[in-house]
Amino acid sequence: MPRRHHAVTLQQATQESPTLSMLTALTRDSSERLRAIEKLIPPTLRPTLQAGPIDGTSWCLLVRSNAAAAKIRQLLPAFEAHLRSRGWEVNSIRLKIQT
């Protein structure tokens, strides 16, 4: 039986694949978490952060430099408390320095 290749949109692919659907949901959730804590982040540090992966109750923030990470590290308890108050189950936030 000949295979027919046809183009599908990214949205169609994610809807048809459980794995892609889960990854899309996790990416969306991570971005929403970052938006939720944005007002707690000093304006000069906001551009240094990116939403990272979610692993169970642990969330990762990607940081552009060690200096920014040192300052953000002090804010992590406030971020965690704020996210929990908004309904997210976050037991820890880890930072990963992007190189």
Side-chain angles (χ1 to χ4, degrees), residues 61-80:
L61 283 172
L62 307 175
V63 189
R64 288 194 186 153
S65 71
N66 285 325
K71 293 192 180 275
I72 294 295
R73 198 168 281 114
Q74 297 171 357
L75 300 170
L76 292 180
F79 293 171
E80 292 167 4

Side-chain angles (χ1 to χ4, degrees), residues 33-34 37 40-42 45 49-50 57-63 68-85 90-97:
R33 291 176 187 208
L34 184 56
I37 63 168
L40 301 176
I41 304 167
L45 292 176
L49 287 176
Q50 255 185 316
T57 60
S58 178
W59 179 43
C60 180
L61 283 172
L62 307 175
V63 189
K71 293 192 180 275
I72 294 295
R73 198 168 281 114
Q74 297 171 357
L75 300 170
L76 292 180
F79 293 171
E80 292 167 4
H82 184 73
L83 290 169
R84 283 192 296 268
S85 76
V90 178
N91 290 336
S92 67
I93 299 174
R94 51 190 185 88
L95 302 178
K96 181 171 182 179
I97 311 300

Side-chain angles (χ1 to χ4, degrees), residues 6-73:
H6 63 280
V8 295
T9 66
L10 181 59
Q11 184 177 12
Q12 287 173 319
T14 57
Q15 290 172 348
E16 294 172 7
S17 167
T19 303
L20 286 176
S21 181
M22 181 188 69
L23 288 173
T24 301
L26 286 171
T27 301
R28 187 177 308 116
D29 187 22
S30 184
S31 295
E32 288 172 5
R33 291 176 187 208
L34 184 56
R35 276 194 299 280
I37 63 168
E38 189 174 44
K39 293 198 187 291
L40 301 176
I41 304 167
T44 56
L45 292 176
R46 289 178 192 162
T48 68
L49 287 176
Q50 255 185 316
I54 298 171
D55 184 16
T57 60
S58 178
W59 179 43
C60 180
L61 283 172
L62 307 175
V63 189
R64 288 194 186 153
S65 71
N66 285 325
K71 293 192 180 275
I72 294 295
R73 198 168 281 114

